[in-house]
């Protein structure tokens, strides 16, 4: 996938000027937030469950080698095959090899962010396979030639009127006079088109929300049921999942599932939660003849044992971006890679490097709402700050900012000099602003005054006024005053 | 200051010493907030001093990834506030920096780590200090108006400041509080964020000021001057007739002075006091 994270600023300016996007974001912001709040309020033990979920993942990460090997053995026992992929290229190659070996022509896909991460569709299409996304949102952006702008609602940036136009353009075999006004018209048309694709498909590819070590099971949660059809109808099921999806037991998966849907969509549980273990057994009425799991690293193990390890607890619920005022202003595409919002501000520099992804951790006010709602209690602002530090230490921060910091630091660590400099500056500004009380524009402060007025300072600093008033400066002064 | 009602001294508490961390924005832009804080602290029974050697909490550097400068600036505070029972700041953002982040900055420093932790432990945001530590039941003051309140992010989420200012405002005669539905959503200030990403910041503050106007309030209050400068500056640019004050000003009975961005500050009122 083309990375444009370096252009975050330009991307965001474009996004702010896009009326369709702004309308879509306005609708999205309210829905997710209110639904999550309701779900949380209905479950008094919600915060205790978050603690439990965090502890389960921390334990798992501390022993991830053991659980992954346990998982591999369990998959093999149930008739499946595990493939280890160090990076995106290796993962893509495994998929291509399986498809070639199975003489596949058509591939259906359930929603998978990891498949976006490794740019799987492009690779499959280049190799001549027909690739069909079956999640409605993914299907929409696939025919639009776009990437997801949200990890659980990939087409959240698209208005339904735009979808109707896309369907008319793509589904030329249908009656051009059909009605596509209502949401249900769109859904039933997509369902009709996709139904045959499932039946024609040779290979179904899904992601996984969890991999369960004790049973070798992969778990997907969906609301459309498309994942189930994708993984049971074709001859071959390929699960592509990153390493940190592993949990030790079925109980652990159940515990985390209790916070997942509530945090994501405000549902107590998603409509479908499907557990898949191995290939079709003799007594099973249906299921795939072959079951493959690709375990993708792609930078995860490099995060283990570092200050970014906490990020590996992420269960991809999307609550952080649903509650992020920056995401809510610019949408997901501005972030320029696979994962948007606060999670993306940590994952992007982790996976593609600070030089390319460095804008994203900077584009936060550190309002802390993401951390507040994260079901896995990931300290997202802390990690964004750590990436700012890495950027600064690597000399990648903008020169003007470094220059400003150097001057500010030089002065601010010398209180006497600071007093003198601020007395002069505030004196001048206060004098210039005394009539209006505010500035409409200020040299060197256009970032501020292009959009808002700047209140004029009073003209004297508090410190100088306190001196004039002979106010107490030290604990000794206070003792003296008390003795009087 | 203007309001001269009897201060509600809390006689059963032993007098505590408070070092006021003025914060750089209050020091430079709006000293009256510092005087309001002193007034409130003294009413609560504290003895207040303002250490001379304070500049800034170091947050601009810390949040820019420049830990070396952040440490150098923060180190000045370790000395400046030695010996006080408490450190109080009229800002959740700066108090949060001192309480939670300065200890992180010095965590590996064999000499300063313990001192940074001790400084952090005794540091409070103003309204939370008045209510949670000094047990001030409410503030006695007068302000005629319908106000709405914005919860600044750091105070709210790092320090749990939410009920304290509202409890204190209950005692303000003539004041009606109309809650802002999006009170907990960031105003788009974010320190250097607002000038690094001015377009996004503008989008956020525009949504905020529209929501403020929707409440029908004539006055906006908050506990952090950074956020207030941002929101007041936007409202002024949009010609909205809504005034903005730091909550401490209203609580200290200083709501008859110029609002943020208004002309007419009379600094002599602060130096002609009984002190000195």
């Amino acid at each position: 996938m083309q990375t444009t994270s370096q252009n975050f600023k330009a991307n965001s300016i474009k996004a702010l000027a896009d009326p369709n996007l702004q309308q879509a974001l306005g609708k999205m912001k309210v829905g997710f937030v209110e639904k999550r709040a309701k779900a949380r309020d209905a479950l008094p033990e919600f915060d205790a469950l978050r603690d439990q979920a965090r502890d389960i993942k921390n334990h798992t990460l501390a022993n991830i080698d053991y659980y992954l090997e346990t998982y591999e053995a369990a998959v093999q026992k149930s008739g499946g095959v595990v493939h280890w992929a160090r990076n995106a290229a290796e993962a893509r190659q495994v998929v291509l090899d399986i498809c070639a070996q199975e003489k596949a022509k058509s591939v259906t896909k359930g929603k998978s962010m990891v498949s976006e991460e490794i740019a799987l569709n492009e690779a499959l299409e280049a190799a001549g396979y027909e690739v069909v996304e079956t999640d409605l949102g993914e299907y929409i952006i696939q025919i639009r030639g776009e990437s997801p702008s949200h990890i659980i609602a990939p087409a959240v940036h698209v208005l339904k009127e735009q979808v109707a136009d896309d369907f008319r353009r793509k589904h030329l075999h249908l009656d051009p006079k059909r009605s596509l006004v209502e949401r249900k018209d769109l859904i039933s048309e997509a369902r009709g088109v996709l139904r045959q694709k499932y039946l024609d498909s040779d290979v179904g590819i899904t992601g996984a929300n969890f991999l369960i070590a004790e049973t070798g099971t992969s778990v997907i949660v969906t609301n459309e049921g498309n994942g189930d059809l994708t993984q049971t109808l074709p001859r071959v099921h390929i699960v592509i999942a990153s390493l940190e999806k592993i949990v030790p037991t079925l109980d652990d998966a159940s515990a985390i599932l209790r916070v997942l849907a509530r945090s994501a969509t405000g549902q107590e549980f998603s409509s479908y939660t499907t557990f898949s273990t191995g290939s079709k057994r003799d007594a099973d009425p249906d299921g795939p003849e072959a079951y493959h799991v690709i375990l993708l690293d792609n930078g995860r193990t490099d995060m283990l044992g570092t200050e970014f390890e906490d990020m590996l607890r992420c269960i991809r619920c999307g609550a952080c971006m649903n509650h992020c005022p920056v995401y809510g202003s610019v949408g997901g595409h501005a972030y320029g890679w696979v994962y948007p919002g606060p999670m993306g501000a940590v994952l992007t520099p982790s996976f593609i490097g600070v030089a390319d992804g460095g804008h994203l951790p900077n584009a936060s006010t550190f309002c802390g709402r993401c951390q507040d709602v994260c079901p896995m209690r990931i300290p997202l602002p802390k990690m964004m700050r750590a990436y700012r530090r890495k950027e600064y230490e690597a000399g990648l921060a903008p020169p003007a900012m470094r220059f400003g910091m150097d001057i500010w630091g030089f002065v601010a660590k010398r209180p006497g000099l600071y007093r003198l400099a601020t007395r002069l500056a505030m004196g001048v500004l206060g004098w210039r602003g005394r009539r209006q009380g505010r500035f409409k524009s200020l040299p060197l402060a256009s970032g501020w005054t292009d959009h808002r007025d700047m209140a004029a300072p009073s003209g004297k600093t508090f410190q100088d006024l306190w001196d004039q008033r002979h106010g107490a400066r030290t604990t000794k002064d206070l003792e003296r005053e008390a003795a009087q | 200051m203007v309001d001269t009602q009897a201060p509600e001294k809390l006689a059963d508490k032993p007098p505590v010493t408070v070092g006021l961390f003025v914060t750089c924005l209050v020091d430079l832009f709006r000293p009256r907030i510092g005087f309001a804080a002193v007034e409130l602290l003294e009413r609560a029974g504290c003895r207040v001093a303002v250490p001379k050697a304070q500049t800034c909490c170091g947050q601009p550097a810390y949040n820019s990834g420049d830990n070396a400068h952040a440490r150098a600036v923060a180190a000045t505070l370790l000395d400046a506030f030695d010996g006080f029972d408490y450190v109080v700041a009229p800002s959740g953002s700066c108090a949060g920096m001192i309480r939670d982040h300065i200890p992180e900055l010095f965590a590996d420093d064999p000499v300063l780590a313990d001192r940074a932790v001790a400084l952090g432990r005794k540091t409070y945001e103003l309204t939370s200090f008045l209510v949670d530590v000094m047990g001030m039941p409410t503030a006695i003051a007068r302000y005629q108006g319908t106000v709405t309140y914005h919860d600044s992010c750091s105070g709210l989420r790092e320090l749990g400041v939410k009920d304290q200012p509202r409890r204190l405002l209950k005692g303000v005669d003539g004041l009606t509080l109309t809650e802002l539905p999006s009170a907990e959503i960031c105003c788009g200030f974010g320190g250097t964020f607002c000038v690094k990403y001015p377009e996004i910041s503008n989008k956020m503050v525009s949504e905020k000021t529209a929501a403020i106007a929707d409440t029908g309030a004539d006055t906006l209050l908050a506990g952090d001057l950074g956020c207030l400068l941002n929101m007041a500056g936007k409202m002024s640019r949009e010609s909205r007739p809504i005034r903005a004050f730091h909550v401490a000003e209203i609580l200290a009975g200083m709501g008859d002075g110029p609002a943020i961005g208004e002309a007419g500050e009379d600094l002599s009122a602060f130096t002609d006091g009984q002190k000195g």
Side-chain angles (χ1 to χ4, degrees), chain A residues 8-9 12-13 16 22 29 325-326 328-330 359 362-369 372 385 388-389 392 401 405-406 408-410 412-415 418-419 422 426 434-441 447-463 465-475 478-479 481-482, chain B residues 1 17 20 22 24 26-31 34-35 38 47-56 58 60-67 69 72-73 76 83-84 101 153 157 184-186 188-190 193-205 207 226 229-230 233-234 236-237 260-265 267 270-271 275-276:
Chain A
F8 174 80
K9 224 177 142 153
S12 66
I13 291 169
L16 286 163
Q22 289 300 322
K29 263 188 272 187
V326 174
S329 298
V330 301
H359 249 303
N362 278 287
S364 163
T365 63
F366 285 153
C367 82
R369 225 172 159 215
D372 228 32
R385 193 183 285 111
R388 293 185 193 185
R389 201 191 67 234
Y392 204 90
M401 190 184 93
M405 260 331 137
D406 285 348
W408 173 86
F410 184 84
K413 68 183 176 193
R414 294 172 171 81
Y418 180 88
R419 289 277 306 274
T422 54
M426 294 307 120
R434 71 197 185 287
R435 282 215 192 86
Q436 299 295 321
R438 58 185 182 269
F439 299 105
K440 295 266 176 209
S441 71
W448 182 284
T449 55
D450 280 353
H451 300 288
R452 42 181 117 51
D453 294 346
M454 170 60 95
S458 305
K460 282 194 176 170
T461 65
F462 176 90
Q463 292 283 19
L465 293 165
W466 192 249
D467 269 346
Q468 272 178 266
R469 177 166 146 160
H470 305 294
R473 288 298 194 179
T474 62
T475 49
L478 292 177
E479 282 162 25
E481 280 181 14
Chain B
M1 326 220 65
T17 59
L20 181 71
V22 186
C24 57
V26 168
D27 180 41
L28 305 185
F29 278 84
R30 203 163 165 82
F35 288 102
V38 172
R47 292 186 286 148
V48 185
V50 185
K52 209 166 195 161
Q54 55 175 300
T55 59
C56 169
Y62 184 60
N63 284 347
S64 301
D66 180 1
N67 279 17
H69 278 126
V73 174
T76 62
F84 288 99
H101 301 298
C153 300
R157 281 180 270 269
E184 298 189 358
I185 297 178
C186 178
F189 173 61
F193 173 86
C194 68
V195 286
K196 276 199 294 195
Y197 302 96
E199 296 83 7
I200 303 174
S201 173
N202 181 47
K203 166 80 176 169
M204 288 163 67
V205 73
E207 289 189 1
L229 288 171
N230 180 40
K234 190 67 195 177
S236 154
R237 180 64 56 94
I260 294 169
E262 288 178 4
E265 178 67 294
L267 294 173
F270 304 121
T271 50
K275 287 236 160 192

Side-chain angles (χ1 to χ4, degrees), chain B residues 167-180:
Chain B
R167 192 182 305 183
L168 295 171
L169 283 170
K170 281 201 179 116
V172 179
D173 197 28
L175 180 147
T176 311
L177 177 65
T178 308
E179 287 289 355
L180 178 63

Side-chain angles (χ1 to χ4, degrees), chain B residues 28-29 48 82 88 90 132 145 156 164 166 173 208-209 213 228 259:
Chain B
L28 305 185
F29 278 84
V48 185
D82 228 15
V88 175
D132 301 336
L156 175 71
Q164 299 92 329
R166 289 170 176 78
D173 197 28
K208 175 61 73 175
T209 55
L228 281 162

Side-chain angles (χ1 to χ4, degrees), chain B residues 89-266:
Chain B
S91 158
S93 173
C94 312
M97 175 73 193
I98 301 174
R99 200 197 69 172
D100 292 344
H101 301 298
I102 288 184
E104 285 169 22
L105 273 174
F106 292 103
D108 298 327
D109 188 312
V111 182
L112 299 178
D114 291 348
R115 293 182 62 201
V117 169
L119 174 67
R121 278 206 194 113
K122 66 180 183 180
T123 298
Y124 287 83
E125 182 275 339
L126 176 65
T127 61
S128 105
F129 178 77
L130 293 171
V131 171
D132 301 336
V133 179
M134 299 308 292
M136 187 185 258
T138 187
I140 309 293
R142 194 184 310 280
Y143 183 79
Q144 201 60 45
T146 303
V147 308
T148 196
Y149 199 90
H150 167 73
D151 296 293
S152 291
C153 300
S154 302
L156 175 71
R157 281 180 270 269
E158 286 188 341
L159 305 174
V161 178
K162 176 81 186 179
D163 295 332
Q164 299 92 329
R166 289 170 176 78
R167 192 182 305 183
L168 295 171
L169 283 170
K170 281 201 179 116
V172 179
D173 197 28
L175 180 147
T176 311
L177 177 65
T178 308
E179 287 289 355
L180 178 63
S182 57
E184 298 189 358
I185 297 178
C186 178
C187 71
F189 173 61
T192 52
F193 173 86
C194 68
V195 286
K196 276 199 294 195
Y197 302 96
E199 296 83 7
I200 303 174
S201 173
N202 181 47
K203 166 80 176 169
M204 288 163 67
V205 73
S206 302
E207 289 189 1
K208 175 61 73 175
T209 55
I212 292 167
D214 284 345
T215 65
D218 53 49
T219 306
L220 167 70
L221 302 182
D224 271 80
L225 184 54
C227 317
L228 281 162
L229 288 171
N230 180 40
M231 294 182 288
K234 190 67 195 177
M235 293 194 295
S236 154
R237 180 64 56 94
E238 296 170 331
S239 305
R240 296 186 193 274
I242 300 169
R243 311 178 78 206
F245 289 98
H246 191 286
V247 65
E249 298 177 66
I250 301 303
L251 296 174
M254 290 164 57
D256 52 357
I260 294 169
E262 288 178 4
E265 178 67 294
D266 175 15

